[in-house]
Amino acid sequence: MLNQRYAAIDQGTTGTRIVVFDENGRSHSPMSIPHKQITLNSGWVEHDPEEILANMMKCLSGCEVVDALGICHQGESIVAWHADSKKPLYNAIIWQDMRTEKRIQHMKDQGLEPLVQQKSGLPLDPYFSASKMNWIIENIVGVKQLADKGKLRIGTMDAFFLDRLCGIYCTDYNAASRTSLFNIHTLTWDPELCEIFGVPMHCLPEIRDTVGDFGSINLDGHITPVTAVIVDQFAGTYGHGCRNQGDAKVTFGTGAFLQSLTGTAIAETKGSGLLPTLCWKFPDQKPIFGLDGGVYNAASAINWVKKIGLLDDFDELSDFSNDSAISRGLAFVPALSGLACPYWDRSAAGLWAGLSLDIERKDLLQSVLEGIAVRSAEVILAMDKLSPLGDAISVDGGLSSNQYFKQFLANLIQKNIVAPANREVTALGAAMLARKGLGIERPISFKQDAQITKPNRSSMSGVMEKYQDIIARSRNLRS
Protein backbone atom coordinates (compact mmCIF):
# COMPACT_ATOMS: atom_id res chain seq x y z
CA MET A 1 0.00 0.00 0.00
CA LEU A 2 1.21 3.47 -0.84
CA ASN A 3 2.57 5.56 2.02
CA GLN A 4 -0.24 8.04 2.56
CA ARG A 5 0.45 11.47 3.98
CA TYR A 6 -1.65 13.65 6.26
CA ALA A 7 -1.28 17.35 6.96
CA ALA A 8 -2.26 19.22 10.09
CA ILE A 9 -2.90 22.95 10.09
CA ASP A 10 -2.21 24.11 13.63
CA GLN A 11 -3.79 27.55 13.88
CA GLY A 12 -2.78 28.85 17.28
CA THR A 13 -2.81 32.02 19.34
CA THR A 14 0.48 33.39 18.02
CA GLY A 15 0.82 31.82 14.58
CA THR A 16 -0.14 29.25 11.98
CA ARG A 17 1.92 26.24 10.97
CA ILE A 18 1.59 23.12 8.92
CA VAL A 19 3.02 19.71 9.79
CA VAL A 20 2.97 16.72 7.44
CA PHE A 21 3.06 13.11 8.66
CA ASP A 22 3.38 9.84 6.78
CA GLU A 23 2.43 6.28 7.76
CA ASN A 24 5.99 5.57 8.93
CA GLY A 25 5.86 8.26 11.58
CA ARG A 26 8.07 10.72 9.74
CA SER A 27 7.05 14.36 10.00
CA HIS A 28 8.19 17.71 8.73
CA SER A 29 6.94 21.26 9.10
CA PRO A 30 7.61 23.21 5.91
CA MET A 31 6.21 26.51 7.15
CA SER A 32 5.26 28.48 10.26
CA ILE A 33 3.95 32.05 10.10
CA PRO A 34 3.26 34.38 13.06
CA HIS A 35 0.43 36.89 12.96
CA LYS A 36 -0.15 40.28 14.57
CA GLN A 37 -1.53 40.58 18.09
CA ILE A 38 -3.97 43.50 18.06
CA THR A 39 -4.53 45.16 21.45
CA LEU A 40 -6.65 48.26 20.87
CA ASN A 41 -7.56 48.68 24.54
CA SER A 42 -6.45 47.25 27.86
CA GLY A 43 -7.66 43.66 28.17
CA TRP A 44 -8.58 43.41 24.49
CA VAL A 45 -6.90 40.82 22.24
CA GLU A 46 -7.79 40.55 18.57
CA HIS A 47 -6.45 38.97 15.37
CA ASP A 48 -7.07 39.82 11.73
CA PRO A 49 -9.02 36.85 10.27
CA GLU A 50 -7.95 37.71 6.72
CA GLU A 51 -4.28 37.72 7.74
CA ILE A 52 -4.66 34.31 9.38
CA LEU A 53 -6.55 32.89 6.41
CA ALA A 54 -3.82 34.14 4.06
CA ASN A 55 -1.19 32.52 6.31
CA MET A 56 -3.10 29.24 6.23
CA MET A 57 -3.12 29.30 2.43
CA LYS A 58 0.62 30.08 2.34
CA CYS A 59 1.26 27.10 4.62
CA LEU A 60 -0.91 24.83 2.49
CA SER A 61 0.69 26.03 -0.73
CA GLY A 62 4.14 25.35 0.73
CA CYS A 63 3.38 21.69 1.43
CA GLU A 64 3.42 18.80 -1.02
CA VAL A 65 0.35 16.81 -2.01
CA VAL A 66 -1.34 15.10 0.96
CA ASP A 67 -4.23 12.66 1.21
CA ALA A 68 -6.17 14.48 3.93
CA LEU A 69 -6.04 17.59 6.09
CA GLY A 70 -6.94 18.11 9.75
CA ILE A 71 -7.46 21.58 11.19
CA CYS A 72 -6.92 22.40 14.85
CA HIS A 73 -7.71 25.89 16.07
CA GLN A 74 -7.84 28.30 19.01
CA GLY A 75 -11.09 27.05 20.46
CA GLU A 76 -12.92 29.87 22.21
CA SER A 77 -11.81 32.64 19.81
CA ILE A 78 -14.60 33.87 17.51
CA VAL A 79 -15.30 35.60 14.19
CA ALA A 80 -18.42 37.23 12.69
CA TRP A 81 -18.79 37.50 8.90
CA HIS A 82 -21.27 38.23 6.11
CA ALA A 83 -23.09 35.16 4.81
CA ASP A 84 -22.87 36.30 1.16
CA SER A 85 -19.52 38.07 0.84
CA LYS A 86 -17.83 35.82 3.43
CA LYS A 87 -15.94 38.91 4.63
CA PRO A 88 -15.29 39.43 8.36
CA LEU A 89 -17.36 42.14 10.00
CA TYR A 90 -14.77 42.73 12.72
CA ASN A 91 -11.47 41.31 13.91
CA ALA A 92 -11.46 37.89 15.56
CA ILE A 93 -11.89 38.27 19.34
CA ILE A 94 -9.43 35.94 21.04
CA TRP A 95 -9.91 33.62 24.00
CA GLN A 96 -7.65 35.81 26.18
CA ASP A 97 -9.88 38.88 25.64
CA MET A 98 -11.52 40.35 28.75
CA ARG A 99 -13.75 43.10 27.30
CA THR A 100 -16.94 41.31 28.37
CA GLU A 101 -15.92 41.05 32.02
CA LYS A 102 -18.56 43.55 33.21
CA ARG A 103 -21.28 41.86 31.16
CA ILE A 104 -20.32 38.49 32.65
CA GLN A 105 -20.39 39.93 36.19
CA HIS A 106 -23.84 41.40 35.51
CA MET A 107 -25.06 37.96 34.42
CA LYS A 108 -23.65 36.46 37.63
CA ASP A 109 -25.42 39.16 39.66
CA GLN A 110 -28.65 38.15 37.92
CA GLY A 111 -28.16 34.61 39.17
CA LEU A 112 -27.73 33.09 35.70
CA GLU A 113 -24.53 31.10 36.33
CA PRO A 114 -26.17 27.91 37.71
CA LEU A 115 -28.42 27.62 34.65
CA VAL A 116 -25.56 28.25 32.21
CA GLN A 117 -23.32 25.78 34.01
CA GLN A 118 -26.00 23.10 34.24
CA LYS A 119 -26.69 23.22 30.51
CA SER A 120 -23.29 23.99 29.01
CA GLY A 121 -20.98 22.61 31.70
CA LEU A 122 -19.13 25.95 31.68
CA PRO A 123 -18.97 28.74 34.26
CA LEU A 124 -19.69 32.33 33.32
CA ASP A 125 -16.33 33.71 32.20
CA PRO A 126 -15.14 36.01 29.37
CA TYR A 127 -12.84 33.15 28.30
CA PHE A 128 -15.70 31.35 26.54
CA SER A 129 -17.19 32.39 23.21
CA ALA A 130 -20.79 33.49 23.81
CA SER A 131 -20.22 36.87 25.45
CA LYS A 132 -17.69 37.77 22.74
CA MET A 133 -20.29 36.97 20.06
CA ASN A 134 -22.83 39.16 21.82
CA TRP A 135 -20.31 42.03 22.03
CA ILE A 136 -19.92 42.04 18.25
CA ILE A 137 -23.70 41.88 17.72
CA GLU A 138 -24.32 44.76 20.15
CA ASN A 139 -21.36 47.00 19.30
CA ILE A 140 -20.48 46.69 15.61
CA VAL A 141 -22.64 48.80 13.30
CA GLY A 142 -24.91 46.77 11.02
CA VAL A 143 -24.30 43.35 12.58
CA LYS A 144 -27.65 43.15 14.36
CA GLN A 145 -29.43 44.09 11.13
CA LEU A 146 -27.57 41.35 9.26
CA ALA A 147 -28.70 38.89 11.91
CA ASP A 148 -32.32 39.99 11.45
CA LYS A 149 -31.98 39.44 7.69
CA GLY A 150 -30.41 35.99 8.11
CA LYS A 151 -27.12 37.22 6.66
CA LEU A 152 -24.92 36.96 9.76
CA ARG A 153 -22.58 34.08 10.37
CA ILE A 154 -20.84 33.91 13.72
CA GLY A 155 -18.86 31.17 15.39
CA THR A 156 -15.51 29.82 16.48
CA MET A 157 -12.68 30.30 14.00
CA ASP A 158 -12.94 26.82 12.49
CA ALA A 159 -16.39 27.69 11.13
CA PHE A 160 -14.96 30.76 9.40
CA PHE A 161 -12.05 28.78 7.93
CA LEU A 162 -14.32 26.02 6.63
CA ASP A 163 -16.80 28.47 5.11
CA ARG A 164 -14.06 30.38 3.30
CA LEU A 165 -11.85 27.44 2.29
CA CYS A 166 -14.43 24.72 1.65
CA GLY A 167 -17.76 26.51 1.28
CA ILE A 168 -19.28 24.59 4.21
CA TYR A 169 -20.65 26.43 7.24
CA CYS A 170 -20.16 24.06 10.15
CA THR A 171 -18.22 23.34 13.31
CA ASP A 172 -17.59 20.18 15.34
CA TYR A 173 -19.09 19.07 18.65
CA ASN A 174 -15.86 19.81 20.52
CA ALA A 175 -15.64 23.46 19.41
CA ALA A 176 -19.39 23.97 19.90
CA SER A 177 -19.06 22.76 23.48
CA ARG A 178 -16.60 25.61 24.25
CA THR A 179 -19.03 28.41 23.39
CA SER A 180 -21.50 28.36 26.36
CA LEU A 181 -24.31 28.06 23.78
CA PHE A 182 -24.16 24.27 23.39
CA ASN A 183 -26.15 21.94 25.62
CA ILE A 184 -23.85 19.04 26.53
CA HIS A 185 -26.85 16.88 27.45
CA THR A 186 -28.91 17.30 24.27
CA LEU A 187 -25.81 17.81 22.02
CA THR A 188 -27.48 20.77 20.28
CA TRP A 189 -27.39 24.55 20.31
CA ASP A 190 -29.62 25.53 23.24
CA PRO A 191 -32.38 28.12 22.59
CA GLU A 192 -32.39 29.34 26.20
CA LEU A 193 -28.62 29.80 26.33
CA CYS A 194 -28.70 31.67 23.01
CA GLU A 195 -31.41 33.96 24.37
CA ILE A 196 -29.54 34.59 27.63
CA PHE A 197 -26.37 35.58 25.77
CA GLY A 198 -28.18 37.46 23.01
CA VAL A 199 -26.86 35.34 20.13
CA PRO A 200 -29.46 34.41 17.46
CA MET A 201 -29.39 30.63 17.14
CA HIS A 202 -30.14 30.74 13.40
CA CYS A 203 -26.79 32.51 12.86
CA LEU A 204 -24.75 29.64 14.32
CA PRO A 205 -23.10 26.90 12.22
CA GLU A 206 -24.23 23.32 11.76
CA ILE A 207 -22.60 20.93 14.27
CA ARG A 208 -20.84 17.84 12.87
CA ASP A 209 -18.78 14.92 14.16
CA THR A 210 -15.10 15.67 14.78
CA VAL A 211 -14.07 13.50 11.82
CA GLY A 212 -15.80 13.12 8.48
CA ASP A 213 -16.51 15.21 5.41
CA PHE A 214 -15.77 18.91 5.92
CA GLY A 215 -15.42 19.61 2.20
CA SER A 216 -12.17 20.07 0.35
CA ILE A 217 -9.60 22.70 -0.59
CA ASN A 218 -8.34 23.21 -4.14
CA LEU A 219 -4.57 23.61 -4.00
CA ASP A 220 -3.20 24.33 -7.45
CA GLY A 221 -5.65 21.91 -8.99
CA HIS A 222 -5.20 19.18 -6.38
CA ILE A 223 -8.32 18.59 -4.31
CA THR A 224 -7.44 17.94 -0.66
CA PRO A 225 -10.26 16.71 1.61
CA VAL A 226 -10.62 18.22 5.08
CA THR A 227 -11.53 15.25 7.26
CA ALA A 228 -11.06 16.47 10.83
CA VAL A 229 -11.62 19.68 12.80
CA ILE A 230 -10.96 20.08 16.53
CA VAL A 231 -9.83 22.60 19.16
CA ASP A 232 -6.03 22.58 19.47
CA GLN A 233 -5.97 21.48 23.11
CA PHE A 234 -8.05 18.42 22.34
CA ALA A 235 -6.00 17.63 19.25
CA GLY A 236 -3.12 17.51 21.70
CA THR A 237 -5.07 15.19 24.00
CA TYR A 238 -5.64 12.80 21.09
CA GLY A 239 -2.04 13.17 19.91
CA HIS A 240 -0.76 12.18 23.35
CA GLY A 241 -2.57 8.87 22.96
CA CYS A 242 -5.28 9.57 25.51
CA ARG A 243 -8.04 7.07 24.73
CA ASN A 244 -9.15 5.56 28.03
CA GLN A 245 -10.79 6.84 31.20
CA GLY A 246 -8.13 8.38 33.45
CA ASP A 247 -5.72 9.30 30.63
CA ALA A 248 -4.63 12.93 30.98
CA LYS A 249 -2.35 15.55 29.45
CA VAL A 250 -1.20 19.10 30.10
CA THR A 251 -0.16 21.57 27.42
CA PHE A 252 2.07 24.36 28.70
CA GLY A 253 1.55 27.12 26.17
CA THR A 254 0.39 30.69 26.77
CA GLY A 255 -1.58 29.15 29.61
CA ALA A 256 -1.57 25.64 31.00
CA PHE A 257 -4.43 23.54 29.64
CA LEU A 258 -5.32 20.26 31.28
CA GLN A 259 -7.65 17.57 29.98
CA SER A 260 -8.49 14.09 31.21
CA LEU A 261 -10.91 11.52 29.79
CA THR A 262 -13.95 10.30 31.73
CA GLY A 263 -15.55 8.13 29.01
CA THR A 264 -19.04 8.35 27.50
CA ALA A 265 -20.62 9.77 30.66
CA ILE A 266 -20.57 13.41 31.74
CA ALA A 267 -18.71 13.73 35.04
CA GLU A 268 -20.49 15.37 37.96
CA THR A 269 -18.30 18.37 38.78
CA LYS A 270 -20.47 20.42 41.13
CA GLY A 271 -18.37 22.51 43.49
CA SER A 272 -15.03 21.32 42.06
CA GLY A 273 -14.32 24.21 39.70
CA LEU A 274 -13.53 21.67 36.99
CA LEU A 275 -15.40 21.70 33.70
CA PRO A 276 -17.09 18.69 32.14
CA THR A 277 -16.17 18.85 28.48
CA LEU A 278 -16.91 17.08 25.23
CA CYS A 279 -13.54 15.97 23.86
CA TRP A 280 -14.57 14.53 20.49
CA LYS A 281 -17.36 12.67 18.76
CA PHE A 282 -16.93 10.10 16.01
CA PRO A 283 -19.63 9.00 13.52
CA ASP A 284 -22.28 6.65 14.94
CA GLN A 285 -20.62 6.72 18.36
CA LYS A 286 -21.38 8.41 21.65
CA PRO A 287 -19.21 11.43 22.39
CA ILE A 288 -16.16 11.04 24.60
CA PHE A 289 -16.31 13.36 27.58
CA GLY A 290 -13.60 14.54 29.89
CA LEU A 291 -12.62 17.06 32.52
CA ASP A 292 -11.05 20.35 31.56
CA GLY A 293 -9.11 22.83 33.64
CA GLY A 294 -7.07 25.84 32.67
CA VAL A 295 -4.38 28.04 34.20
CA TYR A 296 -4.42 31.40 32.43
CA ASN A 297 -0.70 32.13 32.69
CA ALA A 298 2.15 29.72 31.98
CA ALA A 299 4.44 30.78 29.11
CA SER A 300 2.80 34.21 29.31
CA ALA A 301 4.18 34.52 32.88
CA ILE A 302 7.65 33.55 31.65
CA ASN A 303 7.38 36.09 28.83
CA TRP A 304 6.29 38.71 31.35
CA VAL A 305 9.38 38.27 33.55
CA LYS A 306 11.47 38.53 30.39
CA LYS A 307 9.66 41.71 29.36
CA ILE A 308 10.28 43.40 32.71
CA GLY A 309 13.98 42.55 32.55
CA LEU A 310 14.30 39.72 35.08
CA LEU A 311 15.16 37.14 32.43
CA ASP A 312 17.74 37.53 29.67
CA ASP A 313 17.88 34.00 28.32
CA PHE A 314 15.54 31.05 28.79
CA ASP A 315 18.55 28.90 29.73
CA GLU A 316 18.56 30.78 33.04
CA LEU A 317 15.44 28.82 34.00
CA SER A 318 17.24 25.50 34.14
CA ASP A 319 20.04 25.92 36.67
CA PHE A 320 19.03 26.44 40.29
CA SER A 321 21.57 25.57 42.96
CA ASN A 322 19.45 26.45 45.99
CA ASP A 323 16.58 24.55 47.56
CA SER A 324 13.11 25.29 46.22
CA ALA A 325 12.00 28.89 46.56
CA ILE A 326 8.89 27.91 48.49
CA SER A 327 10.99 26.01 51.07
CA ARG A 328 12.81 29.31 51.64
CA GLY A 329 9.55 31.22 52.07
CA LEU A 330 9.29 32.77 48.58
CA ALA A 331 6.21 32.15 46.44
CA PHE A 332 4.77 33.53 43.21
CA VAL A 333 1.12 33.36 42.14
CA PRO A 334 0.89 33.49 38.30
CA ALA A 335 -2.51 35.22 38.28
CA LEU A 336 -1.45 37.87 35.77
CA SER A 337 -4.75 37.40 33.93
CA GLY A 338 -6.70 36.24 36.97
CA LEU A 339 -7.23 32.73 38.31
CA ALA A 340 -8.86 30.14 36.08
CA CYS A 341 -9.75 26.65 37.33
CA PRO A 342 -10.86 25.94 40.01
CA TYR A 343 -11.49 29.57 41.09
CA TRP A 344 -12.67 31.29 37.87
CA ASP A 345 -11.80 34.62 39.45
CA ARG A 346 -10.73 37.52 37.25
CA SER A 347 -10.35 39.79 40.29
CA ALA A 348 -7.14 37.98 41.25
CA ALA A 349 -3.78 39.47 40.34
CA GLY A 350 -0.19 38.25 40.16
CA LEU A 351 1.56 38.22 43.50
CA TRP A 352 5.00 37.64 45.03
CA ALA A 353 5.00 36.72 48.71
CA GLY A 354 7.96 36.38 51.05
CA LEU A 355 10.19 39.06 49.54
CA SER A 356 13.20 40.06 51.65
CA LEU A 357 16.53 41.82 51.18
CA ASP A 358 18.37 38.57 50.51
CA ILE A 359 16.10 37.60 47.57
CA GLU A 360 17.96 37.69 44.25
CA ARG A 361 16.82 37.68 40.65
CA LYS A 362 17.46 33.94 40.30
CA ASP A 363 15.21 33.25 43.30
CA LEU A 364 12.38 35.19 41.66
CA LEU A 365 12.75 33.16 38.46
CA GLN A 366 12.74 29.92 40.43
CA SER A 367 9.56 30.99 42.23
CA VAL A 368 7.81 31.73 38.93
CA LEU A 369 8.41 28.18 37.69
CA GLU A 370 7.21 26.78 41.00
CA GLY A 371 4.09 28.97 40.97
CA ILE A 372 3.07 27.70 37.52
CA ALA A 373 3.70 24.13 38.68
CA VAL A 374 1.58 24.63 41.82
CA ARG A 375 -1.34 26.09 39.89
CA SER A 376 -1.14 23.15 37.46
CA ALA A 377 -0.93 20.70 40.35
CA GLU A 378 -4.05 22.22 41.90
CA VAL A 379 -6.01 21.31 38.79
CA ILE A 380 -4.43 17.86 38.38
CA LEU A 381 -5.11 16.91 42.00
CA ALA A 382 -8.70 18.15 41.74
CA MET A 383 -9.18 16.01 38.62
CA ASP A 384 -7.64 12.99 40.32
CA LYS A 385 -10.04 13.37 43.25
CA LEU A 386 -13.10 13.67 41.01
CA SER A 387 -12.22 10.96 38.47
CA PRO A 388 -9.03 9.00 39.26
CA LEU A 389 -6.12 9.54 36.88
CA GLY A 390 -3.48 7.05 35.89
CA ASP A 391 0.07 6.96 37.33
CA ALA A 392 1.39 9.30 34.59
CA ILE A 393 0.50 12.69 33.12
CA SER A 394 1.62 13.45 29.57
CA VAL A 395 2.91 16.98 28.94
CA ASP A 396 3.88 19.15 25.99
CA GLY A 397 4.61 22.79 25.25
CA GLY A 398 7.59 24.96 26.15
CA LEU A 399 7.84 24.10 29.84
CA SER A 400 7.77 20.37 29.08
CA SER A 401 11.50 20.64 28.28
CA ASN A 402 12.39 22.29 31.62
CA GLN A 403 13.65 19.57 33.95
CA TYR A 404 13.40 21.63 37.16
CA PHE A 405 9.77 22.45 36.40
CA LYS A 406 8.87 18.84 35.56
CA GLN A 407 10.56 17.47 38.69
CA PHE A 408 8.84 20.01 40.94
CA LEU A 409 5.46 19.18 39.37
CA ALA A 410 6.06 15.43 39.62
CA ASN A 411 6.93 15.81 43.30
CA LEU A 412 3.76 17.80 43.95
CA ILE A 413 1.38 15.34 42.30
CA GLN A 414 3.39 12.15 42.99
CA LYS A 415 2.91 10.93 39.44
CA ASN A 416 5.27 10.39 36.53
CA ILE A 417 5.55 13.28 34.08
CA VAL A 418 5.86 11.97 30.51
CA ALA A 419 7.23 14.33 27.85
CA PRO A 420 7.07 12.81 24.34
CA ALA A 421 10.23 13.25 22.25
CA ASN A 422 7.98 14.23 19.34
CA ARG A 423 7.22 17.91 19.98
CA GLU A 424 4.48 17.97 17.34
CA VAL A 425 1.84 16.39 19.59
CA THR A 426 -1.00 18.79 18.76
CA ALA A 427 -0.38 18.52 15.02
CA LEU A 428 0.00 14.76 15.35
CA GLY A 429 -3.44 14.54 16.94
CA ALA A 430 -5.01 16.57 14.13
CA ALA A 431 -3.24 14.42 11.50
CA MET A 432 -4.30 11.17 13.19
CA LEU A 433 -7.89 12.41 13.28
CA ALA A 434 -7.68 13.40 9.60
CA ARG A 435 -6.53 9.85 8.88
CA LYS A 436 -9.46 8.50 10.88
CA GLY A 437 -11.74 10.79 8.88
CA LEU A 438 -10.73 8.86 5.75
CA GLY A 439 -12.06 5.73 7.41
CA ILE A 440 -8.62 4.24 8.12
CA GLU A 441 -8.69 2.31 11.38
CA ARG A 442 -5.64 0.02 11.11
CA PRO A 443 -2.82 0.59 13.64
CA ILE A 444 -0.28 3.23 12.79
CA SER A 445 3.45 3.30 13.30
CA PHE A 446 3.87 6.80 14.75
CA LYS A 447 6.56 6.42 17.40
CA GLN A 448 6.06 8.06 20.76
CA ASP A 449 9.43 7.91 22.52
CA ALA A 450 9.29 9.92 25.73
CA GLN A 451 11.33 11.27 28.62
CA ILE A 452 9.87 10.22 31.98
CA THR A 453 10.36 12.28 35.14
CA LYS A 454 9.61 10.23 38.25
CA PRO A 455 8.59 11.88 41.52
CA ASN A 456 11.00 12.00 44.41
CA ARG A 457 9.46 10.47 47.48
CA SER A 458 10.86 13.25 49.65
CA SER A 459 8.03 14.99 51.46
CA MET A 460 6.29 17.98 49.88
CA SER A 461 4.04 18.09 52.93
CA GLY A 462 2.53 21.49 53.53
CA VAL A 463 3.60 23.01 50.19
CA MET A 464 0.12 23.00 48.61
CA GLU A 465 -1.49 24.27 51.81
CA LYS A 466 1.03 27.11 52.10
CA TYR A 467 0.51 28.06 48.46
CA GLN A 468 -3.27 27.97 48.72
CA ASP A 469 -3.11 30.49 51.55
CA ILE A 470 -0.97 32.77 49.37
CA ILE A 471 -3.26 32.24 46.36
CA ALA A 472 -6.19 33.35 48.52
CA ARG A 473 -4.33 36.61 49.16
CA SER A 474 -4.08 37.26 45.40
CA ARG A 475 -7.87 37.46 45.05
CA ASN A 476 -9.87 40.70 44.89
CA LEU A 477 -6.71 42.71 44.15
CA ARG A 478 -7.86 43.76 40.68
CA SER A 479 -10.58 46.41 40.43
Side-chain angles (χ1 to χ4, degrees):
M1 184 172 182
L2 293 175
N3 187 16
Q4 291 186 287
R5 301 166 76 248
Y6 315 97
I9 282 283
D10 183 359
Q11 203 298 290
T13 307
T14 58
T16 303
R17 56 202 302 270
I18 189 163
V19 186
V20 180
F21 297 85
D22 65 21
E23 290 281 351
N24 294 319
R26 292 183 293 260
S27 69
H28 73 285
S29 179
M31 195 169 295
S32 177
I33 309 173
H35 54 255
K36 295 184 187 73
Q37 304 294 312
I38 303 168
T39 53
L40 301 174
N41 294 294
S42 176
W44 292 27
V45 187
E46 300 176 1
H47 296 159
D48 179 352
E50 293 287 4
E51 179 190 11
I52 291 177
L53 200 65
N55 290 347
M56 290 177 72
M57 289 306 297
K58 286 178 188 174
C59 286
L60 287 165
S61 298
C63 110
E64 298 173 9
V65 172
V66 295
D67 296 279
L69 174 67
I71 298 175
C72 55
H73 59 97
Q74 300 179 38
E76 298 77 10
S77 303
I78 63 106
V79 188
W81 66 103
H82 196 293
D84 294 337
S85 71
K86 309 290 180 73
K87 296 292 185 183
L89 301 166
Y90 187 72
N91 285 332
I93 301 181
I94 304 310
W95 60 270
Q96 301 157 304
D97 193 281
M98 293 174 64
R99 76 187 68 192
T100 63
E101 192 172 15
K102 288 183 180 178
R103 166 75 196 279
I104 289 293
Q105 187 58 52
H106 179 64
M107 294 176 72
K108 288 181 178 181
D109 294 343
Q110 290 178 301
L112 292 172
E113 186 162 45
L115 173 64
V116 172
Q117 196 148 16
Q118 187 277 322
K119 289 194 165 199
S120 71
L122 306 177
L124 282 172
D125 194 276
Y127 174 63
F128 303 107
S129 307
S131 63
K132 301 180 181 74
M133 295 182 188
N134 172 261
W135 187 92
I136 287 182
I137 291 168
E138 295 295 330
N139 290 278
I140 302 305
V141 174
V143 172
K144 191 175 289 186
Q145 289 74 17
L146 286 176
D148 293 340
K149 294 175 184 176
K151 296 295 184 181
L152 172 65
R153 292 186 173 177
I154 194 164
T156 46
M157 295 181 75
D158 58 318
F160 174 68
F161 300 149
L162 290 169
D163 197 22
R164 284 286 293 268
L165 297 174
C166 307
I168 293 178
Y169 183 42
C170 67
T171 187
D172 94 299
Y173 283 96
N174 171 239
S177 74
R178 308 299 295 175
T179 61
S180 297
L181 302 176
F182 177 85
N183 189 314
I184 60 171
H185 306 283
T186 64
L187 303 183
T188 59
W189 297 123
D190 189 276
E192 190 173 12
L193 291 175
C194 288
E195 183 177 355
I196 287 171
F197 281 98
V199 178
M201 194 165 72
H202 68 269
C203 297
L204 295 170
E206 174 194 350
I207 305 172
R208 296 189 178 186
D209 292 327
T210 303
V211 302
D213 180 11
F214 291 96
S216 58
I217 301 174
N218 188 330
L219 296 172
D220 298 324
H222 180 79
I223 306 301
T224 301
V226 179
T227 56
V229 177
I230 192 169
V231 174
D232 52 9
Q233 297 305 324
F234 296 89
T237 306
Y238 197 83
H240 274 285
C242 297
R243 302 288 185 276
N244 302 312
Q245 185 172 340
D247 290 349
K249 73 89 183 173
V250 188
T251 295
F252 294 104
T254 303
F257 299 97
L258 304 91
Q259 287 87 33
S260 65
L261 301 188
T262 57
T264 57
I266 302 171
E268 175 53 60
T269 61
K270 189 173 182 180
S272 70
L274 294 166
L275 311 182
T277 191
L278 193 159
C279 298
W280 48 74
K281 184 182 180 306
F282 299 146
D284 303 318
Q285 295 181 25
K286 292 181 178 180
I288 297 299
F289 290 97
L291 292 171
D292 179 69
V295 176
Y296 289 134
N297 301 110
S300 54
I302 303 297
N303 291 334
W304 172 74
V305 296
K306 195 171 192 301
K307 182 177 76 173
I308 65 173
L310 287 177
L311 177 65
D312 295 323
D313 191 287
F314 292 114
D315 289 343
E316 295 178 86
L317 295 172
S318 59
D319 177 26
F320 300 108
S321 56
N322 292 327
D323 293 338
S324 67
I326 186 64
S327 69
R328 293 178 285 123
L330 176 65
F332 177 72
V333 180
L336 301 167
S337 302
L339 291 168
C341 181
Y343 306 96
W344 300 105
D345 182 4
R346 293 282 189 165
S347 77
L351 176 71
W352 259 300
L355 294 173
S356 61
L357 290 173
D358 61 343
I359 295 297
E360 298 182 353
R361 182 176 66 93
K362 197 78 170 177
D363 301 315
L364 295 174
L365 296 176
Q366 187 176 10
S367 72
V368 169
L369 285 180
E370 292 175 12
I372 298 167
V374 167
R375 284 289 294 118
S376 303
E378 275 194 294
V379 182
I380 293 168
L381 293 172
M383 283 185 178
D384 199 23
K385 184 177 179 181
L386 201 64
S387 181
L389 305 177
D391 322 342
I393 305 291
S394 194
V395 299
D396 69 291
L399 285 171
S400 67
S401 61
N402 185 290
Q403 190 55 42
Y404 182 84
F405 175 82
K406 288 187 292 183
Q407 189 66 64
F408 193 83
L409 179 59
N411 294 348
L412 285 172
I413 64 174
Q414 286 297 297
K415 293 181 184 293
N416 292 340
I417 301 296
V418 180
N422 181 357
R423 305 299 296 273
E424 307 288 2
V425 184
T426 299
L428 174 61
M432 291 171 72
L433 289 166
R435 180 181 188 274
K436 188 176 183 68
L438 289 176
I440 302 172
E441 298 289 350
R442 68 181 183 276
I444 58 176
S445 57
F446 293 133
K447 294 180 180 179
Q448 287 282 48
D449 295 334
Q451 182 186 60
I452 300 175
T453 302
K454 297 182 178 181
N456 295 330
R457 299 302 171 184
S458 57
S459 174
M460 296 287 284
S461 175
V463 169
M464 292 301 295
E465 292 80 2
K466 183 183 292 187
Y467 251 107
Q468 283 168 342
D469 177 62
I470 296 167
I471 288 167
R473 296 167 191 264
S474 76
R475 304 182 71 177
N476 299 311
L477 291 180
R478 196 189 306 271
S479 59

